[in-house]
Amino acid sequence: MAADVTARRGRGRSRYGRYSGGDPLAPPVDLGEALAEIGEDVMAGTSPQRAMQEFLRRGGRDQRGLDSLAAQVAQRRQQLLAEHRLDGTLQEVRELLDQAVLAERKQLARDLDDEARFSEMRLGNLPASTAAAVTELGDYPWRSSEARETFEQIKDLLGREALDQRFAGMKQALEGATEEDRGRVSQMMADLNALLEKRRLGEDTPEDFAEFMDKHGDSIPGEPQDLDELLDELARRAAAGRRMLASMTPEQRAELAELSQQAFGSPELAQALDRLDDNLQALRPGEDWDGSESFEGDQGLGLGDGTGVLQDLAELDALAEQLSQQYSGARMEDVDLDALARQLGDEAVVDARTLAELERALRESGYLNRTADGALRLSPAAIRQLGKALLRDIAERMSGRTGGRDVRRAGAAGELDGSTRPWEFGDTEPWNVTATVGNAVRRVVAEGGDPRSGVRLSVDDVEVDQTEARTQAAVALLVDTSFSMAMEGRWVPMKRTALALHQLVTSRFRGDDLQLIAFGRHARTTRIEDLTSLEALYEQGTNLHHALLLAHRFFRRHPTAQPVLLIVTDGEPTAHLDRVGEAEFAYPPHRVTLALTVRALDDVHRLGAQTTIFRLGDDPGLAHLIDQLARRVEGRVVAPDLDDLGAAVVGSYLGSRDPGWDQARGFWPF
C-alpha cells in the first residue's frame, strides 16, 4: 500500500508498510551493457571486482549510477546546512518574552499606584540575555492576564521543545496540554528511566518492556517491537540532539541550559531528560555523541526540528558511505532504501534497487567466478558473451565498408550434409532458400500479418546449409605485449582482436585450432581468459623470435592442417633467445636479433604458413622492416587504424578459410 498502516492487536502488533520489492512484472535486468563495459575495463587492466564497482558507480546509458546518487546526497546535505540555523527556540522565546513585556507595560501605564511604577522600573532593567530575563520574571506578579498567559507559553514551549528533542512529534502532540497530560509525561519519563536502568543492570525482562508499552505506547514514536529497537531509536535521536547543542555557539548553549530549568515551570523535566541522556549514552556508546555541524542559513530551527535535521544529516552521511561502496565486503544490498526514500524520494530508490539487481544478477549469472584466493574473474561464459559482442561490432564495421557487401559464396566452406541451421556471422555456407522463406512466412503469420500480401526477410529468418569442412586450419595469433603497446593505447584493441578471433574460431570454425602467443621480452602461449585479464606489462623487448619458435612448434603439432600465421606488433624485433634460452635485449635492434627472427620466420614459411603482419603505428623504420619480412615469405602487411584492427585480423583469417574472400577489401565480392 502507498501509506504505512499500523494495527494493534492486544499486546501483539502487526505491521503493514509500503511494498519495496520493485515491480514484480518488470523484465529482468539487461546484463549486456554492464558486461560489455566491465569487459572493457578488465581488458584495460582493471580487476573484475573493481570493474563491476566502477560500472555501478558510473551507471549505464539509461541508468543513474552510484556517483549520481552520492552527488544528490551531498547536495541535499549542503542544502540543509545552507538553509537553517539553530537558534529557532531562542528566537521564539524572545518573541514571546517581548510580547509579554509589551502587554504588561500597557497594563502598567493604565495603573497609577506606586507598585506599578516599581514594576515598570523592574521591566526596564531586565537583563539583555533572554534566559536571564525569563529567569528574572519567574516570580514576577503579572497584572496583565494577556502578559501572564504569554509568559506561560514560554514555559510550555520550552517543555514541549525539550521533549520533542528526544521524542519526535511531542511538540505538536502536547500543544494545549493540560496538567493531567503533563503528569502522564512525567510518569512516562520516570518509568522509561527505570526500565533503562534495569537494562543497565541486566535485570530487565520482555515482560517489563511489554508492560511499559501497554502503559505508555501512545507517547512513544514508531512501533518498537522490543527494548533494543526502542533504545536504538531514542539513542539516535538523543545523540542528534547532543550534536545540535554542540553545533551552537557557547552563548546559545548557555542560554538554553538556563532556559531548560523553566520547562513546564520547574527543573524536574530537565533533570529527567538529563537522566535519560545518561542512560542512553551508557547503553549505546557507539552513537556519535560528540559531533557538530556548521549551519549558515536564515531559517531558525527549534530544538525538535533542529534535532530532526541533525538526524537527517547523520542519515545522509550513512547513505554517502553506503553509496561509496569503499568499505570491505561492500554490497549494493547494504544501501538503506527506506532512508534513501526519505532523503531523495522514490526515483532514487528505483535507481538504487536496479543497481542492486544488476550487481546480484552479475554475481549469480555465472559471468564472474571467484578464485581460490577470493578474487573475482571473468568466467568462460562472460568471455563468450564479450566475444559475441565484439564479433557483432566487427560484422557491422565490415559490412559498412564502402563498395562492398557481406556476402557468402555458396559451398565455400565444405560439402553439404543435408541439414540446416540459423545463419551467424562468419558463416560461409549457402543459404537454404526453402527454410529461409518458410521461417519468414511463419514469422509474418505469428505477427498477425498476411503472407499473401508480401513477405520481407529478416536476418533472423536466414538458414544456411550445414556443411562438412574440407580443410582444417592451425591458426597462430602472435600479439605484441611489449612496453610500447601499453604506452601507445594499443593494449585494449589488441585484446579485443584476440577475443573476437577466438570467438569466431571456437563458435564457427570448430575444426580449426587457435594458439594465442603473447610476446614481450619473452614469448608465451596463453589462454584467452588469461590474455583478457592480463595487466599492462611495462617491460622492454619485442621478442618476435621467441614467438615464432612457439608458432613453429604449434604448426608442427598439426601436420595435416593449413598453417595460418597472424602477427600484431608495433615495434621492431629488439630481443631474441640465446642458446641457453635467456632473452637478449638490444635497441636499436642487433643484427643477431634480426638474423634469428628472419630464420624463425623462414622455418614457419617452409611449413606452408599463410602469413599476415598487422603493423601498428607509423614508424618508417618499422614499416620498411615489416615490408621486407612479408615479401620474404610471400605474406601480406596490413596497417589498420586501431578501431579497424579486429576487422582486419578477422578478415585475414576468413580469407585463409575461403578463397572467395577479398582480402584486400575485406569482404566477399558480388
Side-chain angles (χ1 to χ4, degrees), residues 299-603:
Q299 182 180 343
L301 294 173
L303 294 178
D305 290 339
T307 298
V309 168
L310 265 295
Q311 280 190 287
D312 285 341
L313 292 172
E315 193 166 69
L316 289 167
D317 288 341
L319 284 172
E321 182 180 10
Q322 294 160 14
L323 293 171
S324 74
Q325 296 283 287
Q326 295 300 309
Y327 50 92
S328 177
R331 294 287 184 92
M332 278 301 304
E333 63 191 25
D334 299 339
V335 177
D336 187 337
L337 297 183
D338 291 334
L340 197 65
R342 283 192 296 271
Q343 299 299 334
L344 303 185
D346 291 339
E347 186 176 344
V349 173
V350 171
D351 288 323
R353 183 179 290 118
T354 302
L355 291 173
E357 290 172 356
L358 269 171
E359 181 189 48
R360 182 168 53 254
L362 282 168
R363 292 182 184 276
E364 296 176 356
S365 64
Y367 289 151
L368 298 175
N369 289 340
R370 194 166 294 279
T371 61
D373 59 359
L376 288 180
R377 182 168 185 168
L378 291 181
S379 69
I383 297 294
R384 286 193 296 272
Q385 285 296 110
L386 289 173
K388 289 178 182 178
L390 291 173
L391 272 182
R392 285 194 296 269
D393 292 342
I394 287 173
E396 292 175 3
R397 187 175 293 275
M398 286 173 149
S399 62
R401 291 184 177 180
T402 305
R405 257 189 5 197
D406 198 357
V407 183
R408 303 292 187 266
R409 275 184 60 229
E415 300 299 331
L416 301 180
D417 65 6
S419 62
T420 66
R421 58 175 173 77
W423 176 89
E424 293 186 28
F425 176 71
D427 287 339
T428 60
E429 294 86 352
W431 285 17
N432 186 294
V433 177
T434 302
T436 298
V437 174
N439 289 340
V441 170
R442 284 189 290 273
R443 176 178 53 79
V444 169
V445 172
E447 294 172 353
D450 186 354
R452 291 175 296 182
S453 61
V455 173
R456 295 179 63 86
L457 293 181
S458 165
V459 69
D460 294 329
D461 300 327
V462 178
E463 292 212 16
V464 296
D465 289 315
Q466 191 78 279
T467 61
E468 295 178 354
R470 290 196 304 261
T471 61
Q472 179 189 18
V475 185
L477 175 62
L478 282 55
V479 290
D480 190 343
T481 57
S482 62
F483 177 76
S484 58
M485 289 287 286
M487 290 297 294
E488 298 297 330
R490 297 160 184 158
W491 196 254
V492 174
M494 173 270 292
K495 290 184 178 184
R496 290 169 60 91
T497 298
L499 184 54
L501 182 61
H502 178 272
Q503 177 63 26
L504 181 60
V505 171
T506 56
S507 62
R508 299 267 41 90
F509 294 91
R510 295 186 179 92
D512 291 355
D513 284 302
L514 173 64
Q515 179 72 75
L516 300 175
I517 300 173
F519 62 99
R521 185 178 286 260
H522 291 86
R524 61 195 176 282
T525 60
T526 183
R527 300 182 308 162
I528 188 62
E529 294 88 350
D530 297 327
L531 181 63
T532 301
S533 59
L534 181 66
E535 295 185 11
L537 302 175
Y538 293 95
E539 62 178 14
Q540 291 181 316
T542 305
N543 200 335
L544 181 57
H545 169 237
H546 191 186
L548 288 169
L549 293 179
L550 295 178
H552 184 268
R553 184 173 66 184
F554 169 67
F555 292 145
R556 290 289 298 271
R557 288 203 203 102
H558 300 80
T560 61
Q562 168 62 51
V564 177
L565 178 65
L566 307 173
I567 304 172
V568 177
T569 186
D570 72 344
E572 301 169 273
T574 56
H576 66 272
L577 289 186
D578 61 18
R579 292 182 178 179
V580 297
E582 295 293 330
E584 294 284 344
F585 168 76
Y587 185 83
H590 195 278
R591 58 184 180 83
V592 174
T593 299
L594 295 176
L596 291 174
T597 302
V598 169
R599 182 187 301 172
L601 185 62
D602 287 344
D603 289 343

Side-chain angles (χ1 to χ4, degrees), residues 265-288:
S266 76
E268 293 179 1
L269 178 61
Q271 294 167 2
L273 291 173
D274 288 343
R275 180 182 166 196
L276 175 64
D277 288 349
D278 288 342
N279 285 324
L280 292 172
Q281 187 167 5
L283 290 167
R284 290 294 185 270
E287 293 290 339
D288 182 7

Side-chain angles (χ1 to χ4, degrees), residues 55-332:
F55 176 77
L56 296 175
R57 184 180 61 77
R58 294 190 306 264
R61 288 186 300 270
D62 303 315
Q63 169 65 48
R64 286 198 300 170
L66 291 172
D67 277 358
S68 177
L69 293 174
Q72 198 174 349
V73 165
Q75 183 179 10
R76 170 67 176 155
R77 193 184 200 284
Q78 184 58 38
Q79 179 185 6
L80 290 176
L81 293 174
E83 288 181 351
H84 300 112
R85 66 175 192 270
L86 301 179
D87 60 350
T89 297
L90 291 173
Q91 184 179 14
E92 194 171 354
V93 169
R94 184 79 239 183
E95 291 172 356
L96 289 172
L97 178 62
D98 290 343
Q99 292 173 23
V101 170
L102 179 60
E104 181 69 6
R105 285 183 182 277
K106 290 180 180 179
Q107 180 63 47
L108 292 174
R110 292 191 290 269
D111 295 340
L112 303 178
D113 58 282
D114 292 339
E115 285 295 326
R117 306 289 76 77
F118 177 77
S119 295
E120 284 179 338
M121 291 177 58
R122 185 175 178 182
L123 292 179
N125 293 319
L126 285 175
S129 164
T130 300
V134 170
T135 301
E136 173 72 21
L137 295 174
D139 60 352
Y140 178 82
W142 299 93
R143 295 194 178 196
S144 166
S145 59
E146 178 186 352
R148 183 184 303 106
E149 181 180 342
T150 302
F151 190 76
E152 290 300 319
Q153 288 180 25
I154 293 176
K155 299 177 182 179
D156 180 71
L157 171 67
L158 290 170
R160 290 188 293 120
E161 284 279 19
L163 286 168
D164 201 43
Q165 195 173 21
R166 278 75 170 185
F167 307 93
M170 193 68 82
K171 180 181 179 181
Q172 292 76 22
L174 288 177
E175 189 170 6
T178 64
E179 286 299 326
E180 183 181 355
D181 294 329
R182 294 173 183 172
R184 283 198 296 269
V185 169
S186 297
Q187 187 60 54
M188 183 270 290
M189 290 295 302
D191 292 345
L192 178 58
N193 276 315
L195 178 60
L196 298 187
E197 284 156 4
K198 287 187 73 173
R199 167 55 67 90
R200 292 179 68 173
L201 295 172
E203 298 175 353
D204 67 297
T205 65
E207 289 73 21
D208 293 331
F209 173 76
E211 181 180 350
F212 174 82
M213 291 300 294
D214 283 341
K215 187 175 180 181
H216 302 293
D218 292 338
S219 300
I220 300 299
E223 284 291 324
Q225 299 301 294
D226 53 38
L227 184 54
D228 285 316
E229 280 193 25
L230 176 60
L231 271 172
D232 290 340
E233 179 57 34
L234 292 180
R236 280 193 294 266
R237 182 96 178 159
R242 186 75 63 86
R243 294 195 301 276
M244 178 186 176
L245 292 176
S247 303
M248 295 178 173
T249 65
E251 294 77 16
Q252 289 171 337
R253 286 197 297 273
E255 291 262 299
L256 284 172
E258 187 173 349
L259 284 171
S260 67
Q261 303 303 310
Q262 300 294 325
F264 290 156
S266 76
E268 293 179 1
L269 178 61
Q271 294 167 2
L273 291 173
D274 288 343
R275 180 182 166 196
L276 175 64
D277 288 349
D278 288 342
N279 285 324
L280 292 172
Q281 187 167 5
L283 290 167
R284 290 294 185 270
E287 293 290 339
D288 182 7
W289 295 92
D290 302 315
S292 64
E293 300 288 349
S294 298
F295 288 84
E296 304 170 350
D298 298 325
Q299 182 180 343
L301 294 173
L303 294 178
D305 290 339
T307 298
V309 168
L310 265 295
Q311 280 190 287
D312 285 341
L313 292 172
E315 193 166 69
L316 289 167
D317 288 341
L319 284 172
E321 182 180 10
Q322 294 160 14
L323 293 171
S324 74
Q325 296 283 287
Q326 295 300 309
Y327 50 92
S328 177
R331 294 287 184 92
M332 278 301 304

Side-chain angles (χ1 to χ4, degrees), residues 588-662:
H590 195 278
R591 58 184 180 83
V592 174
T593 299
L594 295 176
L596 291 174
T597 302
V598 169
R599 182 187 301 172
L601 185 62
D602 287 344
D603 289 343
V604 170
H605 179 57
R606 278 191 284 272
L607 295 178
Q610 300 176 12
T611 301
T612 305
I613 305 176
F614 301 89
R615 174 176 56 80
L616 304 180
D618 301 320
D619 179 64
L622 174 65
H624 177 69
L625 175 62
I626 294 299
D627 286 343
Q628 285 186 313
L629 292 176
R631 280 198 299 270
R632 184 179 182 91
V633 295
E634 300 177 346
R636 292 193 313 122
V637 177
V638 180
D641 295 333
L642 283 179
D643 289 341
D644 283 329
L645 177 61
V649 172
V650 168
S652 179
Y653 166 71
L654 289 172
S656 71
R657 304 300 291 118
D658 182 357
W661 176 268
D662 188 329

